Amino acid sequence: MYSEKVMDHFMNPRNVGEIEGANGVGEVGNAQCGDIMRIYLKIDENEVVKDVGFMTYGCGAAIATSSMATELVKGKTVDEALKLSNAAVMEALDGLPPAKVHCSVLAEEAIKAAIDDYKSKK
């Protein structure tokens, strides 16, 4: 059902936790399934994502997509991070079951919400 990569990111999630001094925080949720994702970004003066963390309440796919999304934006510029798509998250995880695609959409939305928060504070 789940790929090895999904299981790895679920069992060993990367970048878990709140980031002290984050200058961009985004939270999104899905009322139907109850998943909630919060992404923390620390963006430097050159608009590069220097650190990223997440806190997710949800299923294994929600945790795995949060973990992968943080890996995909770390070290990228804000403009590059804004281009992150749910399709890219799913591809990086070697796919998701159709019923779990919404988790990758939440991950994309959470990253974008954190960047919007960062931009609103500038």
Side-chain angles (χ1 to χ4, degrees):
M1 182 170 177
Y2 290 116
S3 72
E4 284 185 32
K5 283 187 181 177
V6 170
M7 292 305 296
D8 181 41
H9 277 267
F10 166 62
M11 300 297 287
N12 307 293
R14 283 66 153 180
N15 308 306
V16 175
E18 187 174 338
I19 300 285
E20 207 49 51
N23 49 5
V25 180
E27 182 174 300
V28 296
N30 181 314
Q32 285 184 321
C33 67
D35 294 337
I36 300 171
M37 294 181 186
R38 182 177 289 154
I39 300 285
Y40 301 88
L41 299 176
K42 188 174 271 189
I43 299 168
D44 72 10
E45 64 280 351
N46 296 315
E47 296 216 323
V48 173
V49 178
K50 286 298 185 187
D51 201 4
V52 58
F54 79 92
M55 299 288 287
T56 293
Y57 175 82
C59 65
I63 292 166
T65 57
S66 300
S67 174
M68 181 56 81
T70 62
E71 288 286 278
L72 292 172
V73 300
K74 190 182 254 184
K76 301 279 197 269
T77 65
V78 168
D79 288 339
E80 291 169 332
L82 272 173
K83 293 177 185 171
L84 179 71
S85 67
N86 76 297
V89 173
M90 287 195 309
E91 183 179 322
L93 288 169
D94 294 336
L96 288 171
K100 296 298 181 178
V101 169
H102 70 277
C103 294
S104 64
V105 173
L106 280 177
E108 173 189 342
E109 290 173 349
I111 295 289
K112 290 181 177 171
I115 292 170
D116 287 347
D117 181 55
Y118 162 75
K119 287 185 170 192
S120 75
K121 293 174 180 173
K122 280 185 67 182

